[in-house]
Amino acid sequence: MEAHELSFEPDDRYNAFLAVCKKAPCGKGKLAGIAVAVKDNISTKGIETTCASKILKGYIPPYDAHAVELLRHAGAAIVGKTNMDEFGMGTTTENSAFGPTLNPCDTSRVPGGSSGGSAAAVAGNMVRMALGTDTGGSIRCPAAFCGIVGLKPTYGRVSRYGLIAYANSLEQIGPMGRTVSDVSTLLQVIAGKDRHDSTSYDRPYTHTPVADVKGLKIGIPGEYFGGGVDPKVAGVVKTAISRLEELGATTVPCSIPSMKFALAAYYVTCTCEASSNLARFDGVRYGPAADTKKSWHDAYKEVRKAGFGTEVRRRIMLGTFALSSGYYGKYYTKAQVARENVKADFARLFSEVDLLAGPTMPTIAFRLKEKSDPLSMYLSDILTVPANLAGIPAISVPCGKADGMPVGLQIMGRPFEDECVIDAAYAYEQAVK
Amino acid sequence: MMSEDQVIVGLEVHCQLDTKSKLFCGCSTDYRSDGPNTHVCPVCLGLPGAMPVLNKRSIEYAMKVAKALNCTVLHESEFSRKNYFYPDLNKAYQITQYDKPLAEGGYLEIESDEGGERRIRLTRIHVEEDPGRLVHMGNAERGKYSLVDYNRAGIPLIEIVSEPDMRSPKEARKFLNKLRATLEYLSVFDSEKEGSLRVDANISIKGNERVEVKNITSYKGVEKALTFEVTRQKNLIRRGQRIERETRHFIESTGITQSSRSKEQEHDYRYFPEPDLRPLHVQSWMEGIVLPELPDARRERFVAQYGCSLNHARTLTGELKLANFFEHVVAADPKGLSTLAATWIADTLIGELNYRSMNLESVDAPGFTELIGILKSGILTDKSGIDVLRVMLDQRMNHQSCETSAAIVDRLKLRKVTSVTLEKSLTYEIVPNPILTAITEVLTEQPGAVDDFMKGKKGAFNFLVGQVMKKTRGCADPGELNRMLVEALKKKEV
Ligand SMILES: [Zn+2]
């Protein structure tokens, strides 16, 4: 087989990339010669992978994430690593140790996060597709803010092997692209069972999108249009949903009562898991070396204090607290109960409807530095985290503009019915083309 | 009945399972003879993004143990993360089992101090990964630096937790010995591998706080550490002082326990379920697990089949290799040889091996079998039998090979002298020391070398040693040879 190289020298005016491969090897296959950007928390053999954190500066993984291996097999050219909120902790890509990424639609605004670099690289026409990761909306939020398509697959549909874990039980690697077709093609390549990931399922994705929603029953949860959702955004999304009705779908109002606990359940679970996942970054094996003249305990403290950003330290401390003895039952256990309730609510709804639809984000993209208060940033995840808690597939597809900025229509489906979610998004996309 | 100062002991025993690959990756577990960090991969190095995949075989091994120890395998068990910082812990958490262990309950029977069997109840058995290993350059506290070796990281361990049912350090030792035997019979554990067993012990004197002793790494160490603790705790009580609830570390070299800094007791491990592994549902595997003959059954068989005394049977079956050795020795003539072989192995051979710090593998099995045959024929006295055994073992120790029993008997002319009547009690021919004979011969045959030695040539002495060694066909003990040759040459000088 002939080896090729794709030369890639983008004009990265949005700070979308943390690393660029000017000569990216590529081959034959489904993605032959297509430039694909990879979020910087996905391990790439031989290419620095930092999770946008100082603590991993200089870390060059000796192995490829399973999804990356599949990209290479499909002939894709991995052209660079994209900026993100440090370790995925954020909704704006401002929490990067290497500077924020700007929104290509309006550079005074954030691209969303945490996969903001991947979204900006696609929206800014630097690459055709990108891999993102979605722990609580990290693919769908920047897709909505930048006006592209992003899918969080069903939990277990894509191997997480090589994804530097932030919150293992919630996150998935997923495709981002300008069109639903591209997203679908990328999912074809990366989905399937991986023996290195015990939580992956043998559910490959071989589907080609069909623009057909006739006879589908779509639930419209009241919570997705409640307080906190910008009426302009809600209006744009409602118009999009009526378009789906025109195409033959029926809609029914419904409710997800457990939504009021979703955000708390999400933040407890993800910070608990993060506090454990990030404990290994101690300066002994990767990143800036610990000072060996100090005792290991002091050296760890110093390395971790200097290496992690504020938001990461905050979440590590929250998670450490929630897991500590005497509090575990109050927080972690309760969060898991709430999570089961969310799952049960979705299961109940999906026995009545085929899909759920609503806005991806409650607002349009924030202005840079607008979300300085962490709590108000956490609140903006309210519409995306339920899908992560339940492990169901969810897509964001552009559905118009509010105040000149893109708005995303979110469509959620039953577990392992990513096909149905993609078809509905495709039908909408084709109808408004 | 428990007396006032009754000792109460419970053990937590960590054993490495003897699988071919590690618990969560494909790396080989056969790391001991290789360089540091040579049996590693992204998973057992804990590299970012790597994920554990459970090795089914290690669960099968652990379930064998659970079945042999009469435990109940839970319908659902799960792995949890035990979070703490330590440089040998690559992920800063250990994947272990916490509130849903693989198995619960069960018991192990040991011989009680008063004789008879005593049942020691078990609390649970769980599976976990071994951390890496630190190599301190110099002293651990003040040394310049430490190196980390992750070869051991991810080796499967089982932790067997007992109820506080043991009543003396000796019983604790017996519990461990019995546990070791059971695990070896199951072929899931190799006690001879360095560091394959680690024990934490809880010990208290009735009515007082309990103390945890950590870091015990040998079978003897358990008895030593606990004996030290019993004395220490009883002394404190006698002086009217309170025993503090604390963790102490056993110092193998000095045989004492030392209080650990209180910091370590404040550990909050923040356990939570390992999200990268699915819960285990393996209860149904139990039916498929076929156990081999275990120590108790084999002991009873030895009594029934070979007519061994209970004590001999207990000793012989107390170690898998010993039991196999016994059956090998008597295989040719079980009826005729078993009583004699049992006595000679249990009462004599073990002692002689321990004295030489030799293990059973270094015994020449055919040679020993022949010796038992010779003893059976009645041409050797017991004392001569011991002499032959000692020669065999010494030769094995020094040269890895030895003469046959018959050759030793003939060379040392140990046959009972038949002309001597039995009334005169047993007498033997006086046998000249073969080394001395060889020395005398060499000194006569090599006058030149003797001369050179007298003139102070060091090489001449080595030459003479070589000649004597040759004459004794390599069977002379080098130390003894040297000493006797020096003596003989001194006599020449005079
Ligand atoms: Zn390994």
Side-chain angles (χ1 to χ4, degrees), chain B residues 2 6-10 164-167 202-207:
Chain B
M2 277 199 196
Q6 180 63 62
V7 173
I8 301 166
V9 177
D165 282 356
M166 285 153 272
R167 295 289 167 263
N202 286 302
I203 177 165
S204 62
I205 311 290
K206 196 191 170 197

Side-chain angles (χ1 to χ4, degrees), chain B residues 22 25 27 40-41 44:
Chain B
K22 292 186 180 181
C25 63
C27 291
V40 291
C41 71
C44 59

Side-chain angles (χ1 to χ4, degrees), chain A residues 160-203:
Chain A
R160 289 184 292 116
Y161 188 74
L163 160 60
I164 300 180
Y166 155 28
N168 323 50
S169 72
L170 296 160
E171 62 205 5
Q172 275 288 288
I173 294 176
M176 301 172 86
R178 278 190 292 281
T179 65
V180 176
S181 286
D182 278 356
V183 162
S184 173
T185 305
L186 195 47
L187 185 62
Q188 284 175 8
V189 171
I190 61 174
K193 172 83 184 161
D194 170 20
R195 63 188 177 85
H196 291 296
D197 176 356
S198 313
T199 65
S200 70
Y201 286 83
D202 190 14
R203 298 294 290 263

